[in-house]
Amino acid sequence: MSTTAAKRWTVSAPEAGDHPAWRELFRGYCAFYRVPMPEEKAELVWSWLNDPAHELEGLLARDADGTPVGLAHFRPFCRPLHGAVGGFLDDLFVAPEVRGGGAVDELLARLREIAAERGWSTVRWITADDNHRARSKYDQVATRTMFVTYDMAPESTDS
């Protein structure tokens, strides 16, 4: 962790008052991936982040004024092949105007600390093949795997 980034950014869990800033960041994340996010679904995600019993957790990178400028959503996942638990980074987003300033490094560093504290064997995530800027950062901090991801729709329940 660089001293400049450490002084410029802080990382902590979202708090109730962070909702408007988190929503703007999450809106930006959804727009980047061209995924519609109706308010009711965004509110559901926010409720998960604020429910200590839910597996999804979040982090916010904050600037020197405490304003959230980046988010990370993560959760544990079982790894039967390894007899271990890992952490899965579902979402990672930094506001375009602060990209390149170290906020993403601080989010990933905190997630790495959480993984160590919890005994997770790895932190895993996926990204779009054409997300070149993010991939150049990820190549610096993690090892790319050769696994291909598939999504299968559930069986239709329409009769």
Side-chain angles (χ1 to χ4, degrees):
M1 172 173 19
S2 76
T3 1
T4 308
K7 291 178 184 171
R8 185 169 181 192
W9 312 111
T10 58
V11 175
S12 60
E15 299 171 2
D18 293 324
H19 182 264
W22 169 87
R23 182 62 184 106
E24 280 307 305
L25 290 167
F26 194 49
R27 186 175 282 114
Y29 176 74
C30 294
F32 180 83
Y33 280 109
R34 295 180 181 90
V35 174
M37 183 54 63
E39 286 306 311
E40 61 273 8
K41 287 190 179 181
E43 291 308 310
L44 178 62
V45 174
W46 180 252
S47 75
W48 292 343
L49 292 170
N50 288 280
D51 179 356
H54 198 279
E55 69 179 352
L56 186 69
E57 294 179 70
L59 295 170
L60 292 175
R62 302 168 190 279
D63 66 14
D65 296 326
T67 303
V69 297
L71 63 77
H73 299 150
F74 63 96
R75 59 191 160 84
F77 76 101
C78 293
R79 302 183 70 205
L81 187 60
H82 299 281
V85 174
F88 194 86
L89 174 60
D90 286 287
D91 311 314
L92 182 64
F93 182 79
V94 172
E97 63 272 15
V98 299
R99 288 184 187 155
V104 75
D105 297 298
E106 294 303 311
L107 285 163
L108 291 171
R110 180 63 189 123
L111 188 53
R112 178 176 266 163
E113 290 170 356
I114 290 168
E117 291 164 6
R118 297 181 184 181
W120 290 348
S121 61
T122 194
V123 176
R124 176 173 292 158
W125 62 92
I126 59 174
T127 195
D129 188 55
D130 64 353
N131 191 354
H132 301 292
R133 181 176 182 146
R135 288 182 56 198
S136 70
K137 170 55 69 179
Y138 301 158
D139 287 343
Q140 294 171 20
V141 299
T143 303
R144 181 178 175 212
T145 71
M146 296 308 295
F147 288 94
V148 177
T149 303
Y150 293 89
D151 285 340
M152 181 173 67
E155 183 175 330
S156 173
T157 56
D158 297 335
S159 308

